[in-house]
Amino acid sequence: MHNSKENGWRRKEGEWVTFMYCREYHEKIQEGSHSFGSNPSLLDSESVTNSHYDLLGSYLGSTEKAKEAIFYSYNKYINGFAAILDEDEAKEIAKHPNVVSMFLSKRYELHTTRSWNFLGLETDRGFANVSVWKKSLGEDIIIGNLDTGVWPESKSFSDEGFGPIPKKWKGICQVGKGNPDKFYCNRKLIGAKYFYKGYQEHPGPANVTFNSARDFDGHGTHTLSTAGGNFVAGANVVGFGNGTASGGSPKARVASYKVCWDGCDEADILAGFEAAISDGVDVLSVSLGGIFPQFGSGNAISVGSFHAIANNVIVVASAGNSGPSTSSVVNIEPWTITVAASTIDRDFTSYVILGNKKIYKGASLSELELPPNKSYPLIASDCKEGTLAKQNVKGKIVVCRRGGSARVDMGVQASLAGAIGLILANDRDSGDGVIADPHVLPATNVGFADGNAIFNYIDHRNSPVAYITKVKTELGVKNNPTISSFSSRGPNKFSPTILKPDITAPGVNIIAAYTLANSPTEQPSDKRRIPFVTMSGTSMSCPHVAGVVGLVKSVHPDWSPAAIKSAIMTTATTNTNNGVQILDSYSLEKANPFDYGAGHIQPNLAVDPGLVYDLNITDYLNYLCGGKFLSDDFKAFYGKPYTCPKSFSVEDFNYPSISIYAANVYVYKSFSVTRTVTNVGPPSEYRAKIDEPLLFHVTVEPEILRFKHKGEKKEFKSYIVYLGSHSFGSNPSLLDSESVTNSHYDLLGSYLGSTEKAKEAIFYSYNKYINGFAAILDEDEAKEIAKHPNVVSMFLNKRYELHTTRSWNFLGLETDHGFANDSVWKKSLGEDIIIGNLDTGVWPESKSFSDEGFGPIPKKWKGICQVAKGNPDKFYCNRKLIGAKYFSKGFQAHLGEAENVNFDSARDTAGHGTHTLSTAGGNFVAGANVFGFGNGTASGGSPKARVAAYKVCWNGCYDADILAGFEAAISDGVDVLSVSLGGRSPREFSESGISIGSFHAIANNIVVVASGGNSGPQISSIVNVEPWTITVAASTIDRDFTSYVILGNKKIYKGASLSELELPPNKSYPLISAVDAKFDNVPPAFASICKEGSLDPKKVKGKILVCLRGESARADKGVQASRVGAIGMILVNDEDSGNGVIADPHVLPATNVGFADGSAIFNYINRTKSPVAYISKVKTEVGVKNTPTIASFSSRGPNDLDGKLLKPDITAPGVSIIAAYTQANSPSEQPSDKRRTPFVTMSGTSMSCPHVAGIVGLVKSVHPDWSPAAIKSAIMTTATTKNNNGVEILDSSLEKATPFAYGAGHVQPNLAVDPGLVYDLNVTDYLNYLCGREYTSDQLKVFYGKPYTCPKSFSLADFNYPSISIYELDVWKSLNVTRTVTNVGPPSEYRVEIQQPPQFQVTVQPEILRFTHKGEKKEFKVTITMKPNSKYVTDFEFGKLIWTDGKHHVGTPITIKYTDL
């Protein structure tokens, strides 16, 4: 025996690092490895260790020598030890009758390569609420839009997937004679009309086409697509904000009413209302209005919107853009929904860096950028047209104060004068709310305070300089929304007792469809044309609410407009995504209801408000009575006389807000108001809660409202000290309408002298729902006609201004990968589940392990935070990271003392363990990103779980340390173990530390999740194939970090990168392959992969180097390229890597392209005399379609150890995953790279494994009584084999993937908590499985610790696994297999569905399973037979068995292979 001192723990030839498993010396043998129970005492453990010393000492000569040799005694749940032995000693000890297994401690490799978002657990603004889009997409709701028309060719109005136009639609697609404008409608854009005669009577610009509803301005296209636009993938503004655009009701039908030309005239507006009501719209979006509040019978919007509401059409209107002035809110009708504007959690950020190193954040969408690494002269000036002198401005950055002219126009003026850049500083009224515009030069908009600082810097410097950084898209920005500075404010100037605005919604930097007839800056000199653009204003927030209204109305078609309005208001929030009060961007102080009304809209809650405040037409008329309207005024709205009630208090008007005007309240006297609520939910009891205003006391009677049924109403009191409508019905005939028009002619003709003159003067006859007309009259004629007894109201045709200034995502309607499912995070965040991780340790200071908000450590925890004496490493645990231990002796025994390795700490110096542990159970961390890319909130799958790190990997991971880690984790009380490590090929279970350790963990009710390996796409490369573990493959998500290769022949190839560096723009660079750049004496194969020392700097310097992927690390190739002077690198996949590309944080501009694209690039180099290329800067793309795909590196089945067991079990995200990282290593893991970042991307099954571990934590938290096998079954049987495009998941080869790539499919966490049925297993089943593999009694003791008698017969095919794998089926013979399912849901009847393998017939008996109670078990038989006329095939065939009760779909993959002939 060589002791540690003599040999320095170095393993010489003939030495063995050996594991031993021992029988108990105790007389009583109980279930498990030891005779004691599941909670061994210190005395029990010491007794076992002493028995190990005694046994080994009997061979080595003394217990002292045994103590020196043994470096682990597994003495709690596993019975055995690890010791240094030579080969002869090992052989002798193996013969001992109590030694059941003995094997070498081998080295394991780490399995290394937007996610919870992609899995539907969250949105960019927090938790994913139950999305209303799962109930409705606004199908067959018709949304009308009064605006500047529509650009019908926009993809937002594509009718792909739409059925016939709803029968209720009565409108048309109005075109000019011969349709010279080529304007067409479809099944999405079902109607369009134009109304210009009111505008035409005013002087306007020439060259205006009046015979088309085509939008030449862009405003109407933007607003209509925001309300009801279809899904459009890849929408962006000059490359920024890339994602899927849609309206709030993406499957609604839409209709455009062009009433705005150069302004919007009342005559045209009223005609638009009339047409929309007649056509049958459900919702009207009106993003226009006056500069000052107007209301009453003399206002077209008031009258038109009233008639719309009277016909059950909901009207949504913009609040105006005259903020932050008080009492500036317009469209204040109590029957409309008046919308303020606020920000979202996405910024388009561009910074100003002054010469004094001060940095100020701005906003921009300029696609141009300043050349880097240089500052430019700075000058302050007025930027209005004609004010900039070229000799003063040329080559400088000009600083202008916002106001007076359009923001983008200032950029145009600066550009025309020769400025190199623009800083647009807000004026005082604009405050600190900045807006991103698509400027024609590098530019940014900064807030008022920051602008003042910049002006001050200019004034106090002789030669002021600055730099404007390139624009970056930031997502998940906190403290949003804020109220936009431009958004008009209350109080309601006309009627202070009605709070206005009603609601706020996204209205700043909103991306939506645009016209191709106008530039994004709306400036004639700007020749750019783009299909999507950003706009800001209450014009943008208005259609957001209109889209939400469409959803609510679709779900609740019987609700009144007032009920829908109430639902939207009463479910709003006044808090930001940071959980604090919404701020005003102007003052950065807390906003109030005059800024946001009821608050910020929450569409998912609006469909289920519980109670509503309802109103009808009579209530609105009574409101007018309370406003002292005259009888004639009522006729403009009602069309006939209306008798006001004798007493009506405006304060009692049943509005969803209570506004008490000071003039109506006497000091020290009580004041009461009443409200009535209607129950729209199930029977419930509601209790009143009051947030009291300062200086006032508020009480409510009664304090409790009890509802027995839907529709029940309850009243409560709150105490505090025109020519009107027509006589015909709601469906006027053509004859009715003609009769009304003729009456108009007759009336006017009686004043003008003839009906012919009247026909010339009248340009609108409102003859269906509104009774009136618009005509050209002089002042005297107007005065006379106003006196006619039938004339209710008469007013001038006034001009209105348009209200112009990532969104549904921000509102929680969607995630970046599609619809938001019912999130399990609403049931559990993994609270007090304990997740252990066997890996490289942990970086405890990472924010992912912050214990903020965590309570006491669970009492079940028995672990410690292991630190060396004096804790020189300053390693601390907390209430989140509740434990850490390190195990190095196996590694030390194998390699000896490594240089500069601290073996006395669980601190992670590699980064792998920190990444995996935070992926499984990391806390929420806002603003997580990798060099600015992928910005958002990072978290683990069980973000509120407790976590524990077991450092078992150093330079590799050894069996001894791994088994010690398992032992500790079982003892400490973990619930889930994540094991992202394994061998390169599967080992027999009895010879694997992972197999043995994981069996003992399962026996102690711990779920073990393991990575499947990174040796793909080679077949049968899958590892960690134990039937008791969950084996995880890796696949992509719907986020790409994209960087393109642009060759000199104009061919463009998409790659992946996270390089923070970029090549100078507008230039191509010489291109060279690594083989052409090699030293003369270097083999081509060696150089092709850019191995260190193979490349000649003289050949590479200043060029883009093309390297082949393989052998060395991807990031290392970039380091080598940089060392020899390359300006950039293209990393080309080898054939095995296929087309799956990976984004790495390279040290130079670089991108990874697929095999096919790489072949094209090599071909271009070989055939071009002077090849050149450019690598574009990295952009984050979300919502990428046809994902997931299986990663090329992900190890594949079939299971080489046992073909009768399908492995992997499941696939999960494992490519370019952002998670926490160590600060002791660079992101490229290269010593020359001095960068440090708290988060990094990694790819591998190491990353997919902790995703599943986090999900296991959620399922176990919701179902703490479920066995590990039941949880595994739930995850497998609810998986999907479809991608986010609804087609089969593809392999990295772009062919259909199979169960050997993905197991049961891609994990779906929200379904896994409610699988319906599970395939359960226990320890006895696993032992019987090993019996089926012909394990001897002694081999079984490795796992069971005592004798186990195998059953006389056991078929592996009948092993109750959630998949069916037939490895050798005899030709023309049938095979029967049985399975048993356990009902974990309510009583149900399940029917079988079979997706048949092509060459086989699969039948099931019985075909129906009826369950009467939870926990009931049912057995079924599956018979597999070769189909008649089938051909013998050597490959596997795949199918699927599904049990379904209509709600649950319990899927079981089937794999079949013939017996080899």
Side-chain angles (χ1 to χ4, degrees):
M1 178 65 191
H2 306 280
N3 65 38
S4 60
K5 294 181 180 179
E6 291 172 349
N7 296 301
W9 287 91
R10 295 194 178 275
R11 178 179 170 271
K12 293 183 179 179
E13 186 178 350
E15 289 182 352
W16 285 45
V17 182
T18 309
F19 276 107
M20 295 184 63
Y21 256 77
C22 305
R23 283 198 183 92
E24 285 292 327
Y25 283 96
H26 304 279
E27 292 178 4
K28 247 185 174 179
I29 306 294
Q30 295 183 356
E31 185 174 329
S33 295
H34 299 287
S35 61
F36 41 74
S38 59
N39 293 295
S41 67
L42 182 61
L43 187 61
D44 290 331
S45 299
E46 288 179 351
S47 172
V48 173
T49 297
N50 288 332
S51 73
H52 295 166
Y53 293 152
D54 290 342
L55 187 150
L56 186 57
S58 68
Y59 286 87
L60 301 185
S62 68
T63 54
E64 286 70 22
K65 289 182 178 180
K67 289 179 180 179
E68 290 178 353
I70 292 176
F71 51 93
Y72 284 126
S73 172
Y74 310 119
N75 58 15
K76 297 181 178 68
Y77 296 88
I78 303 167
N79 186 9
F81 58 85
I84 306 296
L85 303 172
D86 62 29
E87 190 169 356
D88 291 336
E89 291 167 339
K91 287 180 178 179
E92 287 299 314
I93 297 168
K95 298 175 183 177
H96 194 284
N98 288 345
V99 175
V100 293
S101 176
M102 189 169 184
F103 50 90
L104 279 169
S105 176
K106 303 178 188 67
R107 184 181 188 272
Y108 284 70
E109 298 297 324
L110 291 168
H111 291 165
T112 310
T113 336
R114 162 183 226 244
S115 279
W116 302 115
N117 193 302
F118 179 58
L119 296 174
L121 289 174
E122 65 178 332
T123 68
D124 290 342
R125 64 178 283 229
F127 307 162
N129 294 320
V130 180
S131 177
V132 60
W133 277 5
K134 297 299 291 181
K135 299 178 180 179
S136 170
L137 291 166
E139 288 85 350
D140 290 348
I141 290 294
I142 303 173
I143 299 177
N145 193 41
L146 303 189
D147 212 295
T148 63
V150 65
W151 191 263
E153 293 84 0
S154 170
K155 290 182 179 179
S156 291
F157 308 118
S158 164
D159 66 354
E160 183 177 348
F162 281 72
I165 295 171
K167 292 182 180 179
K168 65 183 178 182
W169 176 247
K170 301 173 186 176
I172 63 169
C173 190
Q174 184 183 9
V175 297
K177 188 176 181 180
N179 194 11
D181 196 36
K182 301 293 188 289
F183 188 103
Y184 298 99
C185 298
N186 57 25
R187 291 169 300 178
K188 172 69 176 178
L189 176 63
I190 60 175
K193 293 181 178 179
Y194 47 90
F195 307 90
Y196 60 88
K197 295 179 181 177
Y199 167 74
Q200 209 172 23
E201 298 307 320
H202 296 282
N207 301 320
V208 175
T209 300
F210 290 112
N211 60 344
S212 174
R214 184 173 293 281
D215 180 16
F216 295 94
D217 177 270
H219 189 274
T221 301
H222 197 282
T223 54
L224 185 55
S225 66
T226 301
N230 205 346
F231 293 104
V232 182
N236 63 80
V237 181
V238 295
F240 300 110
N242 191 74
T244 297
S246 82
S249 287
K251 295 305 178 184
R253 314 305 174 109
V254 295
S256 174
Y257 300 90
K258 185 170 181 175
V259 301
C260 298
W261 305 83
D262 180 26
C264 322
D265 283 77
E266 281 195 306
D268 302 323
I269 293 169
L270 204 54
F273 271 107
E274 169 89 343
I277 299 167
S278 176
D279 290 348
V281 303
D282 299 296
V283 187
L284 258 180
S285 183
V286 185
S287 287
L288 51 95
I291 296 175
F292 303 103
Q294 299 173 12
F295 174 70
S297 59
N299 178 274
I301 293 180
S302 295
V303 175
S305 59
F306 187 96
H307 282 272
I309 294 294
N311 284 276
N312 208 36
V313 179
I314 305 166
V315 179
V316 186
S318 49
N321 298 329
S322 299
S325 299
T326 61
S327 295
S328 54
V329 63
V330 299
N331 293 328
I332 55 177
E333 298 79 14
W335 44 83
T336 65
I337 305 177
T338 309
V339 190
S342 44
T343 61
I344 62 174
D345 71 335
R346 179 190 61 208
D347 286 349
F348 298 110
T349 300
S350 175
Y351 293 89
V352 175
I353 306 172
L354 301 181
N356 60 4
K357 309 302 181 186
K358 299 287 186 180
I359 301 175
Y360 302 98
K361 182 178 179 179
S364 180
L365 274 171
S366 173
E367 59 187 316
L368 301 176
E369 58 185 279
L370 293 173
N373 306 319
K374 181 181 176 182
S375 292
Y376 298 85
L378 199 59
I379 186 171
S381 179
D382 188 344
C383 287
K384 294 177 183 175
E385 186 174 0
T387 62
L388 295 170
K390 289 187 177 181
Q391 64 269 25
N392 296 332
V393 174
K394 189 174 182 181
K396 298 178 182 178
I397 296 174
V398 63
V399 186
C400 305
R401 184 68 80 180
R402 179 174 163 185
S405 58
R407 300 180 303 273
V408 288
D409 184 57
M410 294 185 175
V412 170
Q413 300 307 319
S415 178
L416 292 173
I420 197 172
L422 168 74
I423 300 171
L424 184 59
N426 278 359
D427 56 7
R428 184 181 297 276
D429 280 351
S430 298
D432 291 298
V434 294
I435 295 176
D437 293 305
H439 292 284
V440 297
L441 78 171
T444 192
N445 174 208
V446 298
F448 177 69
D450 291 347
N452 286 346
I454 294 171
F455 283 119
N456 186 62
Y457 166 73
I458 295 173
D459 293 338
H460 291 83
R461 288 290 192 279
N462 291 327
S463 300
V465 294
Y467 182 76
I468 302 171
T469 69
K470 65 179 180 179
V471 179
K472 290 185 178 180
T473 304
E474 296 181 356
L475 302 176
V477 180
K478 288 300 184 184
N479 291 320
N480 279 295
T482 60
I483 302 302
S484 171
S485 58
F486 59 73
S487 185
S488 292
R489 307 306 207 263
N492 180 344
K493 194 172 185 178
F494 185 85
S495 178
T497 53
I498 296 294
L499 176 65
K500 288 285 179 173
D502 296 306
I503 198 80
T504 190
V508 179
N509 297 332
I510 303 304
I511 295 178
Y514 195 58
T515 180
L516 294 184
N518 201 357
S519 71
T521 60
E522 302 179 23
Q523 303 301 310
S525 60
D526 186 356
K527 304 305 180 185
R528 296 176 296 172
R529 296 296 184 269
I530 55 178
F532 290 84
V533 77
T534 62
M535 289 186 177
S536 299
T538 56
S539 279
M540 283 65 251
S541 56
C542 167
H544 275 88
V545 176
V548 174
V549 167
L551 299 177
V552 181
K553 190 172 180 71
S554 177
V555 176
H556 302 289
D558 56 328
W559 283 11
S560 70
I564 292 176
K565 178 179 184 175
S566 171
I568 287 173
M569 290 178 64
T570 59
T571 57
T573 181
T574 59
N575 286 343
T576 68
N577 58 359
N578 225 28
V580 298
Q581 191 82 26
I582 293 173
L583 299 180
D584 189 332
S585 65
Y586 166 68
S587 63
L588 294 184
E589 295 178 347
K590 286 183 180 180
N592 62 55
F594 292 148
D595 305 315
Y596 54 57
H600 192 263
I601 192 169
Q602 297 192 105
N604 295 321
L605 300 182
V607 292
D608 185 19
L611 307 175
V612 296
Y613 298 80
D614 212 352
L615 292 161
N616 56 33
I617 293 298
T618 302
D619 296 313
Y620 292 126
L621 292 169
N622 289 343
Y623 167 82
L624 296 174
C625 292
K628 309 300 182 185
F629 273 60
L630 300 175
S631 177
D632 282 346
D633 291 316
F634 285 100
K635 293 178 184 177
F637 300 97
Y638 199 46
K640 58 184 177 181
Y642 180 75
T643 303
C644 291
K646 292 182 179 180
S647 63
F648 180 80
S649 167
V650 176
E651 286 79 13
D652 292 335
F653 181 59
N654 203 44
Y655 210 71
S657 61
I658 297 173
S659 189
I660 308 303
Y661 189 50
N664 299 333
V665 181
Y666 296 96
V667 179
Y668 303 121
K669 289 191 176 181
S670 297
F671 190 89
S672 68
V673 300
T674 62
R675 289 292 187 273
T676 300
V677 286
T678 304
N679 182 37
V680 293
S684 298
E685 179 179 287
Y686 288 82
R687 295 176 180 268
K689 292 183 178 179
I690 304 293
D691 290 333
E692 290 190 331
L694 291 173
L695 307 179
F696 292 91
H697 179 55
V698 181
T699 61
V700 175
E701 289 184 359
E703 295 181 339
I704 300 174
L705 299 178
R706 295 181 178 90
F707 296 90
K708 296 180 180 178
H709 56 83
K710 186 179 289 189
E712 186 179 5
K713 296 178 182 290
K714 295 280 185 180
E715 182 179 283
F716 65 91
K717 293 184 177 182
S718 179
Y719 293 86
I720 55 176
V721 149
Y722 326 78
L723 301 165
S725 295
H726 302 286
S727 58
F728 44 74
S730 59
N731 293 295
S733 67
L734 181 61
L735 187 62
D736 291 331
S737 299
E738 287 179 351
S739 173
V740 173
T741 297
N742 288 332
S743 71
H744 296 165
Y745 293 153
D746 291 342
L747 187 152
L748 186 57
S750 67
Y751 286 87
L752 301 185
S754 70
T755 56
E756 285 71 22
K757 288 183 178 179
K759 288 179 181 180
E760 289 175 358
I762 291 176
F763 51 92
Y764 283 125
S765 172
Y766 310 119
N767 59 15
K768 296 179 178 69
Y769 296 88
I770 303 167
N771 185 9
F773 57 85
I776 305 296
L777 303 171
D778 62 30
E779 190 172 354
D780 291 335
E781 291 169 338
K783 285 181 180 179
E784 286 301 311
I785 296 168
K787 297 175 183 177
H788 193 286
N790 289 344
V791 174
V792 177
S793 174
M794 190 168 183
F795 49 89
L796 276 171
N797 181 27
K798 294 183 284 292
R799 183 180 187 274
Y800 284 70
E801 296 298 323
L802 289 168
H803 290 161
T804 310
T805 343
R806 169 181 157 2
S807 272
W808 302 113
N809 191 304
F810 179 59
L811 295 172
L813 287 173
E814 62 178 332
T815 68
D816 291 342
H817 85 285
F819 308 161
N821 295 319
D822 294 355
S823 176
V824 61
W825 278 4
K826 299 298 292 181
K827 298 178 180 179
S828 170
L829 291 167
E831 287 85 350
D832 289 347
I833 290 293
I834 303 173
I835 300 177
N837 194 40
L838 303 188
D839 212 294
T840 62
V842 64
W843 192 264
E845 293 85 1
S846 169
K847 290 182 180 179
S848 290
F849 308 117
S850 165
D851 66 353
E852 185 177 346
F854 280 75
I857 294 171
K859 292 181 179 179
K860 65 183 177 182
W861 176 247
K862 301 171 186 174
I864 62 169
C865 190
Q866 184 184 9
V867 297
K869 188 176 181 179
N871 195 10
D873 197 37
K874 301 294 188 288
F875 188 104
Y876 298 100
C877 299
N878 56 26
R879 291 171 298 179
K880 172 69 174 176
L881 175 64
I882 59 174
K885 292 180 179 179
Y886 47 91
F887 308 89
S888 63
K889 295 176 182 178
F891 169 71
Q892 285 178 297
H894 191 75
L895 294 180
E897 294 287 347
E899 292 181 3
N900 301 318
V901 175
N902 178 12
F903 291 111
D904 293 321
S905 174
R907 183 174 293 282
D908 180 17
T909 56
H912 190 273
T914 301
H915 198 281
T916 53
L917 185 56
S918 66
T919 301
N923 205 345
F924 293 104
V925 182
N929 63 81
V930 182
F931 304 125
F933 301 112
N935 191 75
T937 297
S939 82
S942 287
K944 294 304 177 184
R946 314 304 175 110
V947 295
Y950 299 90
K951 184 170 182 175
V952 300
C953 297
W954 307 82
N955 183 20
C957 325
Y958 288 78
D959 266 319
D961 302 322
I962 293 168
L963 205 52
F966 272 109
E967 169 90 344
I970 298 168
S971 176
D972 292 346
V974 304
D975 298 297
V976 186
L977 260 178
S978 185
V979 186
S980 287
L981 50 95
R984 292 188 179 271
S985 58
R987 292 161 55 190
E988 187 55 54
F989 305 133
S990 60
E991 298 175 1
S992 163
I994 293 178
S995 298
I996 296 165
S998 59
F999 187 98
H1000 283 271
I1002 295 293
N1004 283 275
N1005 206 38
I1006 298 169
V1007 187
V1008 180
V1009 186
S1011 49
N1014 298 328
S1015 298
Q1018 181 180 336
I1019 62 170
S1020 295
S1021 53
I1022 189 77
V1023 297
N1024 292 328
V1025 296
E1026 300 81 9
W1028 44 84
T1029 65
I1030 305 176
T1031 310
V1032 189
S1035 43
T1036 63
I1037 61 174
D1038 71 335
R1039 179 191 61 209
D1040 286 349
F1041 299 109
T1042 300
S1043 175
Y1044 292 89
V1045 175
I1046 306 164
L1047 301 181
N1049 62 4
K1050 309 302 181 184
K1051 298 288 186 181
I1052 301 174
Y1053 301 99
K1054 181 178 179 179
S1057 181
L1058 275 171
S1059 174
E1060 59 186 320
L1061 302 176
E1062 60 184 281
L1063 293 173
N1066 305 320
K1067 181 182 177 183
S1068 292
Y1069 298 86
L1071 190 65
I1072 189 170
S1073 72
V1075 170
D1076 294 334
K1078 73 182 183 69
F1079 283 112
D1080 292 341
N1081 61 341
V1082 173
F1086 195 77
S1088 67
I1089 57 175
C1090 295
K1091 290 282 286 186
E1092 184 176 2
S1094 67
L1095 302 170
D1096 187 347
K1098 294 178 181 178
K1099 297 177 181 178
V1100 176
K1101 190 174 181 180
K1103 298 177 182 178
I1104 296 174
L1105 181 67
V1106 185
C1107 301
L1108 188 64
R1109 183 171 163 185
E1111 194 170 323
S1112 58
R1114 299 181 303 272
D1116 181 62
K1117 297 177 192 293
V1119 171
Q1120 301 309 321
S1122 179
R1123 283 176 177 171
V1124 294
I1127 196 171
M1129 179 186 72
I1130 301 171
L1131 181 60
V1132 173
N1133 277 2
D1134 56 6
E1135 190 169 1
D1136 278 351
S1137 299
N1139 294 301
V1141 294
I1142 295 176
D1144 293 305
H1146 294 284
V1147 296
L1148 79 171
T1151 192
N1152 174 209
V1153 298
F1155 175 71
D1157 291 347
S1159 298
I1161 294 170
F1162 281 126
N1163 188 57
Y1164 166 74
I1165 293 172
N1166 295 334
R1167 296 189 177 191
T1168 307
K1169 186 177 180 179
S1170 300
V1172 295
Y1174 182 77
I1175 301 171
S1176 73
K1177 64 180 179 180
V1178 179
K1179 292 182 180 180
T1180 305
E1181 295 181 356
V1182 293
V1184 179
K1185 289 298 182 183
N1186 290 318
T1187 52
T1189 60
I1190 303 302
S1192 58
F1193 58 77
S1194 184
S1195 292
R1196 307 306 207 264
N1199 180 347
D1200 201 36
L1201 197 63
D1202 184 357
K1204 305 177 193 68
L1205 190 74
L1206 176 64
K1207 288 285 180 172
D1209 297 307
I1210 197 81
T1211 189
V1215 179
S1216 299
I1217 302 303
I1218 296 178
Y1221 195 56
T1222 180
Q1223 295 295 287
N1225 200 359
S1226 72
S1228 66
E1229 301 180 21
Q1230 302 301 311
S1232 60
D1233 186 357
K1234 304 304 179 184
R1235 298 175 298 173
R1236 296 296 183 267
T1237 177
F1239 290 85
V1240 79
T1241 61
M1242 287 186 177
S1243 299
T1245 56
S1246 278
M1247 284 64 251
S1248 56
C1249 167
H1251 276 89
V1252 175
I1255 293 165
V1256 166
L1258 300 177
V1259 180
K1260 193 171 179 71
S1261 178
V1262 175
H1263 302 289
D1265 56 328
W1266 282 10
S1267 69
I1271 293 174
K1272 178 181 184 175
S1273 172
I1275 288 172
M1276 290 178 64
T1277 60
T1278 58
T1280 181
T1281 60
K1282 300 289 179 71
N1283 63 27
N1284 60 358
N1285 226 26
V1287 298
E1288 290 292 324
I1289 292 173
L1290 300 180
D1291 210 323
S1292 57
S1293 64
L1294 301 184
E1295 295 178 349
K1296 283 185 180 180
T1298 74
F1300 292 147
Y1302 54 58
H1306 192 263
V1307 67
Q1308 297 194 105
N1310 296 321
L1311 299 183
V1313 293
D1314 184 21
L1317 306 176
V1318 295
Y1319 297 82
D1320 212 352
L1321 291 161
N1322 56 32
V1323 170
T1324 301
D1325 296 311
Y1326 293 126
L1327 291 169
N1328 289 342
Y1329 169 85
L1330 295 174
C1331 290
R1333 286 184 53 76
E1334 300 180 346
Y1335 268 47
T1336 65
S1337 179
D1338 282 344
Q1339 286 176 307
L1340 290 173
K1341 292 172 187 173
V1342 173
F1343 302 93
Y1344 199 47
K1346 61 181 179 180
Y1348 180 78
T1349 303
C1350 290
K1352 291 182 180 180
S1353 64
F1354 180 81
S1355 169
L1356 288 177
D1358 295 334
F1359 182 57
N1360 203 42
Y1361 210 69
S1363 61
I1364 297 173
S1365 193
I1366 309 303
Y1367 189 61
E1368 294 179 337
L1369 180 65
D1370 290 337
V1371 179
W1372 306 120
K1373 287 187 178 181
S1374 296
L1375 178 69
N1376 295 325
V1377 300
T1378 61
R1379 291 290 187 273
T1380 301
V1381 286
T1382 304
N1383 181 37
V1384 293
S1388 297
E1389 180 180 284
Y1390 284 82
R1391 295 176 180 267
V1392 72
E1393 296 175 356
I1394 305 292
Q1395 296 174 8
Q1396 299 284 356
Q1399 303 291 329
F1400 296 92
Q1401 178 70 39
V1402 179
T1403 60
V1404 175
Q1405 289 295 329
E1407 294 181 338
I1408 300 174
L1409 299 178
R1410 295 182 177 89
F1411 297 90
T1412 59
H1413 59 271
K1414 188 179 288 189
E1416 186 178 6
K1417 297 178 182 291
K1418 295 280 185 181
E1419 184 181 279
F1420 62 91
K1421 180 175 72 174
V1422 181
T1423 302
I1424 301 168
T1425 309
M1426 191 173 180
K1427 289 180 180 177
N1429 302 319
S1430 292
K1431 296 179 181 180
Y1432 176 82
V1433 291
T1434 59
D1435 210 345
F1436 282 82
E1437 299 272 355
F1438 305 99
K1440 194 171 185 178
L1441 183 158
I1442 303 167
W1443 288 106
T1444 180
D1445 64 349
K1447 176 184 178 182
H1448 305 94
H1449 297 269
V1450 187
T1452 305
I1454 301 172
T1455 67
I1456 309 173
K1457 187 180 187 297
Y1458 291 116
T1459 301
D1460 291 334
L1461 294 178

